[in-house]
Amino acid sequence: MFNNIKKKEIELLDKTIDLNDLQIHNLDDSNSTVLINKKVFKEENLFIGISNEDVHELKVHHLNQNLSFGNEGLLRVICDIRKKDDIKLLVTVGERECLELSNSSDDESLLIILLETKDFLQFLLYDGKLDQKVCRTLVIDEKSKDSLRCIAFSIIERNFKGFYKKISEPCKTEVFK
């Protein structure tokens, strides 16, 4: 889970005594891992995308297949949810330095995380161009899951053209550029 761990990630993990306050979402070209509240989840689907001036990367774990839109090997997000109204995100993309995102950030990145398990669907959005930059929603009923999945897929498709077509067709683990 912690290939290529960065100094800022170690510092956050060291100062966060209660791991109930952390979520870790990790995807590379062949593996995916999700840790929430000290529990490793078997995800059905995990989508992590980030777009800004320097990077345009989407990693997908969908139907036991891994897909990559971009050139980076790793995409990991540590979510610090100790303060529900000020979620902090630490984003690692490949070999780059960690990107720190929160409601008080000046960064204009777009970050999307969609996590689906058999029990729930969680959507997290950071949009640096908005006043409320971080939004996190978790739903458990099927109708809400369908609606939230539709919204997330729309945002992802608009930022990563061809994403929806690729996840809709059967395929092997691939890298799409």
Side-chain angles (χ1 to χ4, degrees):
M1 177 187 295
F2 285 106
N3 295 336
N4 197 22
I5 192 161
K6 306 291 184 196
K7 182 179 178 189
K8 287 182 182 180
E9 291 174 312
I10 293 170
E11 289 170 357
L12 177 61
L13 293 171
D14 282 346
K15 74 179 180 184
T16 307
I17 302 205
D18 185 358
L19 288 178
N20 283 324
D21 296 331
L22 286 183
Q23 293 188 10
I24 302 170
H25 305 273
N26 188 79
L27 264 173
D28 61 30
D29 292 331
S30 58
N31 298 299
S32 65
T33 310
V34 175
L35 177 74
I36 300 175
N37 297 339
K38 298 186 228 176
K39 180 180 176 187
V40 176
F41 276 82
K42 175 64 179 145
E43 72 284 349
E44 294 178 6
N45 295 304
L46 177 60
F47 304 82
I48 305 175
I50 184 162
S51 183
N52 60 32
E53 290 179 1
D54 299 324
V55 67
H56 190 73
E57 189 78 23
L58 173 67
K59 298 286 187 200
V60 175
H61 176 83
H62 177 67
L63 301 175
N64 294 318
Q65 304 290 325
N66 285 358
L67 309 172
S68 182
F69 293 75
N71 299 316
E72 302 291 343
L74 167 73
L75 193 45
R76 178 173 47 241
V77 181
I78 300 177
C79 307
D80 179 351
I81 56 173
R82 286 178 284 186
K83 297 179 182 174
K84 304 296 184 219
D85 58 340
D86 189 24
I87 295 171
K88 297 188 184 327
L89 308 165
L90 201 54
V91 183
T92 300
V93 181
E95 300 291 325
R96 300 168 188 268
E97 283 301 310
C98 291
L99 184 60
E100 296 179 69
L101 304 174
S102 69
N103 277 327
S104 58
S105 298
D106 290 330
D107 191 291
E108 291 193 355
S109 293
L110 175 72
L111 173 74
I112 300 163
I113 300 174
L114 179 68
L115 168 64
E116 186 170 2
T117 72
K118 65 180 178 61
D119 298 320
F120 66 88
L121 187 140
Q122 176 182 266
F123 178 62
L124 186 141
L125 175 71
Y126 171 89
D127 189 334
K129 294 182 178 182
L130 302 177
D131 291 336
Q132 180 187 338
K133 295 174 171 73
V134 181
C135 174
R136 178 176 159 254
T137 303
L138 187 136
V139 295
I140 58 173
D141 66 278
E142 288 306 315
K143 185 171 170 115
S144 296
K145 283 181 178 182
D146 289 344
S147 295
L148 196 54
R149 189 181 306 109
C150 180
I151 292 166
F153 281 4
S154 175
I155 294 169
I156 295 170
E157 175 62 31
R158 289 182 180 276
N159 287 279
F160 298 92
K161 304 287 186 232
F163 147 81
Y164 189 72
K165 182 179 180 196
K166 281 297 178 193
I167 67 159
S168 298
E169 54 189 51
C171 61
K172 298 179 208 165
T173 299
E174 298 183 45
V175 175
F176 302 98
K177 298 181 173 108

